[in-house]
Amino acid sequence: MSRRELREQIFKLLFRVEFNSPEDMPEQEELFFEEEDAAKDGDAVYIADKYHKISERLSEIDLRLNEKAEGWDTGRMSKVDLTILRLAVYEICYDEDVPTGVAINEAVELAKKFGQDASFGFVNGVLAKFA
């Protein structure tokens, strides 16, 4: 898979956090890999590893988002936008392998694909404050 495809798979798995308790997430992760057929060529290891790293820092990431997103907090954001922002903020703040510009661009592309009409502008505006 390409990096963009891997990021999309991580987004899909991370999105499940919004609808499941932490106790249910191991089962959800297992179901995800069965449903998405993402386990080809060792990609599942990369996806799962990055998902776990993001999950461990969700409270920190949400705190950062709440500080930067003026007039918004994570409780008011759409679940799609929030998931995209969490992934991007992790890449910007904690993943040294992903340049900030790439993280922002990829987040905007995810917002165009999965979000509402205004999602890409919202995501871009919030992430610009991290740049």
Side-chain angles (χ1 to χ4, degrees):
M1 276 187 210
S2 70
R3 288 282 183 160
R4 179 168 282 174
E5 291 168 325
L6 289 169
R7 189 174 280 106
E8 187 173 311
Q9 294 300 317
I10 295 163
F11 161 78
K12 289 178 180 178
L13 178 56
L14 190 59
F15 186 67
R16 292 179 183 223
V17 167
E18 290 300 308
F19 302 97
N20 297 281
S21 68
E23 296 80 27
D24 291 337
M25 282 311 295
E27 181 181 359
Q28 287 297 314
E29 187 177 347
E30 187 177 312
L31 290 170
F32 170 80
F33 285 111
E34 289 173 8
E35 293 169 2
E36 291 293 328
D37 195 31
K40 296 178 182 174
D41 303 315
D43 291 334
V45 173
Y46 178 85
I47 294 165
D49 182 54
K50 193 156 187 177
Y51 159 75
H52 288 289
K53 288 177 180 177
I54 296 168
S55 295
E56 291 169 3
R57 295 185 179 267
L58 278 182
S59 59
E60 294 171 46
I61 292 169
D62 286 355
L63 182 63
R64 286 176 180 256
L65 281 168
N66 287 328
E67 290 172 356
K68 298 280 187 179
E70 294 175 19
W72 287 89
D73 64 57
T74 54
R76 290 187 54 221
M77 295 176 189
S78 81
K79 293 182 184 330
V80 170
D81 294 350
L82 177 58
T83 303
I84 293 167
L85 287 168
R86 284 173 167 169
L87 173 56
V89 169
Y90 172 81
E91 290 183 334
I92 292 167
C93 297
Y94 304 104
D95 191 340
E96 296 176 7
D97 294 334
V98 180
T100 298
V102 171
I104 293 171
N105 183 60
E106 292 295 322
V108 168
E109 292 303 316
L110 283 171
K112 287 178 182 177
K113 184 170 184 175
F114 294 102
Q116 298 175 351
D117 291 340
S119 289
F120 73 92
F122 174 72
V123 166
N124 190 47
V126 171
L127 293 177
K129 296 178 181 181
F130 285 90

